[in-house]
Amino acid sequence: MPELPEVETVVRSLQPLLPGRTIQNLEVHWPRSLHDLSPAKLWQKVRGRTIKDLKRRAKLILIALSDGAWLALHLRMTGRLYPVDDEKLKKVNAFHISIIFFFSDGSKLVFEDQRRFGRLYYFKNQLDLENYLSRYGPEPLDKNYKSSDLFNALQQHKRQLKALLLDQSFLAGLGNIYVDEALWLAKLHPCSRSHTVHRNQAALLHSSIRKILHRSIESNGTTFMNFKFLGGQAGGYTNELLVFRQTGQACKRCGDTIQKIVVSQRSTHICPTCQRPT
DNA sequence: TCGAATGTTGCGAA
DNA sequence: TTTCGCAACATTCG
């Protein structure tokens, strides 16, 4: 579920709450949600640590701890991270809870995950974290990420545009929703080969990606079945979507009918008139 | 009952 | 070497 705007929404929702809280206890209900670490080992490493800061990189929620270590949480398809009080904790579906953090001030943080694909990573210091993060491509919203960077990178490959934009090592943070949205806005076909994209088309794709992501973040992301933040709030971008899940609807630009096809093994939405294959 | 669902990884085949 | 397709992970929903 969560792509860059949804993860950013979660981070922003927790930013005013978590820093300063000290981990007093930990319940790991789904041990496999810990990457390469046993619950006992994690507990030993984080007990008594205070959360210093919270940020996002790619689709990861990064949590800085007081001893210089970091936690990184990937929500994958159905993960949610939200604070609960005792009342709320009783109401959540215990079957779907992967991890609960208990803080010394009595507050709690739940990592809930229906499909249990989400993963928590532990890094003992900044260097280890950065080493892990080096697998990711540039942040599309970074002010230093220029359209010439995208153009040059596109030229390095001969892959289908959609496959490349979904590749987190090429560009970080896009998923199925925002790739479809950005390609529609840039009038590019998802199957077009990356090296055939002209410089001016790359510039348009670059600005389209950034525009879409900015707007979605402003609206707190997109909610279909799963995405929620702060335990219950839905994203507002769902009704601003241009093509994604708009099959059969009129294209908002030319009026032709939006089609659903399969590209890169993912459902893909295009306007057959605006987005011509090359 | 089957297929698809907002994600990622690893493998084998072109 | 690069790219692509598929299975796996696990669960819910139509």
Side-chain angles (χ1 to χ4, degrees):
Chain A
M1 126 196 92
E3 305 179 27
L4 187 155
E6 290 76 35
V7 178
E8 182 67 27
T9 298
V10 172
V11 167
R12 290 185 184 185
S13 74
L14 296 174
Q15 180 72 58
L17 304 177
L18 295 190
R21 293 189 182 180
T22 300
I23 301 172
Q24 190 182 57
N25 205 349
L26 196 62
E27 283 180 7
V28 179
H29 295 203
W30 183 250
R32 289 175 68 176
S33 67
L34 306 183
H35 176 83
D36 212 27
L37 202 71
S38 68
K41 201 82 180 167
L42 177 67
W43 169 229
Q44 172 203 320
K45 289 176 185 300
V46 304
R47 79 183 291 181
R49 303 299 177 217
T50 299
I51 293 179
K52 271 183 15 187
D53 196 16
L54 213 59
K55 24 185 192 175
R56 179 195 61 75
R57 166 77 169 110
K59 298 174 190 172
L60 287 168
I61 298 165
L62 304 180
I63 302 171
L65 300 179
S66 49
D67 64 344
W70 290 80
L71 296 173
L73 183 66
H74 199 306
L75 302 173
R76 294 285 185 98
M77 293 287 267
T78 57
R80 293 173 178 170
L81 187 67
Y82 57 89
V84 288
D85 53 29
D86 291 313
E87 284 305 299
K88 266 222 180 120
L89 188 54
K90 282 180 209 155
K91 287 180 197 159
V92 298
N93 185 344
F95 185 70
H96 292 149
I97 293 182
S98 287
I99 303 173
I100 309 176
F101 296 87
F102 296 84
F103 300 107
S104 57
D105 64 356
S107 62
K108 298 151 202 70
L109 182 69
V110 167
F111 170 39
E112 179 191 319
D113 189 12
Q114 261 187 12
R115 286 170 72 175
R116 309 186 206 216
F117 288 168
R119 290 293 178 267
L120 182 73
Y121 301 79
Y122 173 85
F123 303 100
K124 66 178 183 298
N125 55 40
Q126 182 119 10
L127 202 64
D128 281 14
L129 172 70
E130 279 167 10
N131 179 48
Y132 182 80
L133 295 179
S134 69
R135 73 183 55 215
Y136 289 106
E139 282 291 322
L141 297 183
D142 190 324
K143 65 179 186 324
N144 295 316
Y145 180 62
K146 305 293 188 194
S147 76
S148 55
D149 298 326
L150 177 59
F151 176 69
N152 293 336
L154 288 170
Q155 298 242 297
Q156 307 294 310
H157 300 274
K158 299 184 172 180
R159 295 172 65 184
Q160 294 185 327
L161 275 181
K162 174 146 185 174
L164 201 50
L165 293 175
L166 285 172
D167 185 338
Q168 301 298 298
S169 68
F170 179 81
L171 185 63
L174 295 186
N176 210 28
I177 298 176
Y178 299 105
V179 167
D180 280 10
E181 294 290 297
L183 287 174
W184 179 87
L185 195 54
K187 298 187 183 181
L188 289 167
H189 195 282
C191 294
S192 292
R193 297 285 156 171
S194 54
H195 65 293
T196 68
V197 173
H198 298 154
R199 188 177 286 277
N200 60 330
Q201 294 177 307
L204 181 57
L205 178 59
H206 176 263
S207 66
S208 299
I209 290 169
R210 294 178 32 131
K211 197 177 290 180
I212 296 273
L213 294 176
H214 274 305
R215 286 182 183 167
S216 181
I217 290 170
E218 274 175 30
S219 306
N220 296 320
T222 303
T223 294
F224 283 121
M225 342 227 335
N226 284 288
F227 175 64
K228 293 277 169 64
F229 63 102
L230 291 179
Q233 286 185 245
Y237 199 70
T238 318
N239 32 39
E240 294 178 52
L241 291 170
L242 303 163
V243 274
F244 191 80
R245 293 219 180 172
Q246 307 298 306
T247 314
Q249 304 280 82
C251 170
K252 291 184 166 60
R253 204 163 31 206
C254 77
D256 198 359
T257 306
I258 301 300
Q259 288 181 358
K260 181 166 155 181
I261 60 177
V262 173
V263 181
S264 201
Q265 294 97 239
R266 309 296 300 276
S267 69
T268 299
H269 310 77
I270 58 161
C271 168
T273 299
C274 294
Q275 297 167 272
R276 297 287 174 78
T278 53

